[in-house]
Amino acid sequence: MLLLPPIIFQSGFSLAPKPFFSNFGAIITFAIVGTFIASIVTGVLVYLAGLIHLVYRMPLIESMMFGALVSATDPVTVLSIFQELGTDVNLYALVFGESVLNDAMAISLYRTMSSLRTNPSSQNIFIVILRFLEDFFGSMSIGVGAGFISALLFKYSTLGVENLYNLESCLFVLFPYFSYMLAEGFGLSGIVSILFTGIVMKRYTSPNLSEDSQRFTASLFHLLSSLAETFVFIYMGFDIAMERQSWSHIGFIFFSIIFILVARAANVFSCAFLVNLARPPHRKISRQYQQALWYSGLRGAMAFALALQSVHDLPEGHGQAILSATISIIVLTVLLIGGSTSTMLESLHVAGDGNNGQHHSLEDQENSEGNNVGNIELNNVEGTSNASKFRLKLREFQRSTPSFTTLDRHYLTPFFTSQNGDSDDDDHDPNGAPQRSNELQGVESHRLPTREMD
């Protein structure tokens, strides 16, 4: 109620729109399909290992709950190193977009499994799927709806013209919590709702604010998110030192780390295969990018929060074992993976100035003369290999279907904001004045390479 809403809202509000929406299909695939795969694989492996007495034994539903909560990634450390070393904005967008959206997916999966445990009579696969879809997409609809309503309100209220900056900022702050409380009141996920509220409000509501209100609200939510996240990690440190932990199940902790690495690999490589089926050769996710995505699966505040919830939801022994294992996973992934990220990026050759130019040229091929190179490569690949009809139909469908960018430019942006929709410049507000400085755009986007804005 207090700590997670500002963290999740800031995650959605600080998205860099261009690389995020240009990779939206891939991000959705990794966040929804991939998180579901990782959750199921982890839960099944924990359950099977318990059957052969390799780890602490738990029922299947509780194993699935553990798989769901530990599938939420939070690669803050990795992303900061990505920015410092100058990795490609598309790789950054994939990692960050997945980490933002899979929090919502993990929460929905955890709640579905928890309700399934308390109501055993509904243990039907179709009921489980229907309940999950209801929870996730219902919460998402509330969040998107609240964001669009706020955009229309600030578009026509003219509070900035009348110099009512304080009222404008207060109303802006109220809408995320309105979305959160409304979803909770309907028995849905407030976290999922507030995440999509942040995405929509950043894109459509924020441009309708005055410059002063834009700066104030961006600074406020960035501050609240930083304070909340810092408090979560401080709380985790105190919990390790002062609370009673279930360290008697070292085998459960050790094998859980192995299981989440295996599940992460199943997530990344299977989803990358699906995404590459629909992408032209010059936009495929390379093997180096897939390995970087696999390596960036740190766990953080969301996994810890859900593990704390599991102590109340599960019997004492099971919940305590899950909490101790989750804390260990968070500490080890942050220290080991976070500490070796720069070495990993250099060994995969996905960092550095020379690498940036290469990958940005690939990104720009769609709207430049370099697109001819991509067409030649596509023709060569299709000529030398027998591509399946399914793959060809996917590409034809992708070319014939209007992109989200086109829909946004011609319909959504003119309707919900004061912009005319013809300009694709994200650096200026509708009046032509520069938007807030990079410092206020969020810690995730202010150090990206300048080629992103070309």
Side-chain angles (χ1 to χ4, degrees), residues 122-373:
S122 63
Q123 290 189 5
N124 184 299
I125 184 63
F126 297 106
I127 295 178
V128 172
I129 295 175
L130 183 62
R131 184 172 300 169
F132 166 74
L133 293 176
E134 176 188 3
D135 189 26
F136 185 83
F137 289 102
S139 304
M140 182 181 69
S141 300
I142 290 177
V144 173
F148 282 146
I149 291 173
S150 67
L152 291 175
L153 172 66
F154 287 104
K155 179 180 179 179
Y156 295 109
S157 63
T158 64
L159 295 176
V161 176
E162 299 177 7
N163 296 323
L164 299 174
Y165 303 127
N166 292 334
L167 177 60
E168 191 179 34
S169 301
C170 290
L171 287 175
F172 188 90
V173 172
L174 287 177
F175 267 95
Y177 279 95
F178 164 74
S179 169
Y180 181 85
M181 294 300 178
L182 184 62
E184 290 290 333
F186 280 109
L188 301 174
S189 173
I191 296 296
V192 177
S193 176
I194 200 173
L195 168 67
F196 285 95
T197 302
I199 295 174
V200 175
M201 291 185 72
K202 168 62 181 293
R203 183 64 178 171
Y204 302 108
T205 307
S206 184
N208 295 329
L209 300 179
S210 61
E211 291 185 38
D212 292 339
S213 296
Q214 287 186 32
R215 296 189 185 96
F216 174 76
T217 53
S219 301
L220 175 65
F221 281 113
H222 181 59
L223 174 63
L224 292 177
S225 174
S226 300
L227 290 175
E229 198 162 47
T230 302
F231 184 83
V232 167
F233 279 95
I234 292 174
Y235 179 40
M236 185 171 62
F238 275 105
D239 188 82
I240 294 175
M242 303 181 65
E243 297 292 334
R244 181 175 60 88
Q245 303 294 335
S246 181
W247 301 121
S248 59
H249 305 292
I250 300 298
F252 179 74
I253 297 173
F254 174 77
F255 284 103
S256 294
I257 297 175
I258 297 177
F259 293 158
I260 65 171
L261 293 177
V262 174
R264 179 70 180 171
N267 168 1
V268 170
F269 296 114
S270 61
C271 289
F273 175 77
L274 294 176
V275 171
N276 287 338
L277 286 178
R279 283 193 168 191
H282 66 278
R283 296 201 68 231
K284 289 185 182 295
I285 302 175
S286 65
R287 180 62 62 175
Q288 290 85 352
Y289 277 25
Q290 295 177 34
Q291 293 172 358
L293 283 168
W294 172 77
Y295 200 82
S296 61
L298 282 73
R299 272 61 178 176
M302 182 57 63
F304 177 64
L306 291 176
L308 284 176
Q309 183 65 34
S310 70
V311 176
H312 302 284
D313 295 339
L314 301 178
E316 181 178 355
H318 297 177
Q320 200 64 41
I322 287 177
L323 177 60
S324 299
T326 304
I327 291 175
S328 303
I329 290 170
I330 293 172
V331 172
L332 290 176
T333 54
V334 169
L335 292 180
L336 297 181
I337 297 180
S340 58
T341 298
S342 59
T343 304
M344 178 272 298
L345 293 177
E346 293 173 356
S347 64
L348 293 177
H349 305 289
V350 294
D353 295 334
N355 180 73
N356 287 340
Q358 176 185 358
H359 289 287
H360 281 284
S361 63
L362 295 179
E363 171 71 13
D364 295 337
Q365 280 182 359
E366 295 181 352
N367 298 314
S368 65
E369 295 180 356
N371 195 28
N372 296 329
V373 179

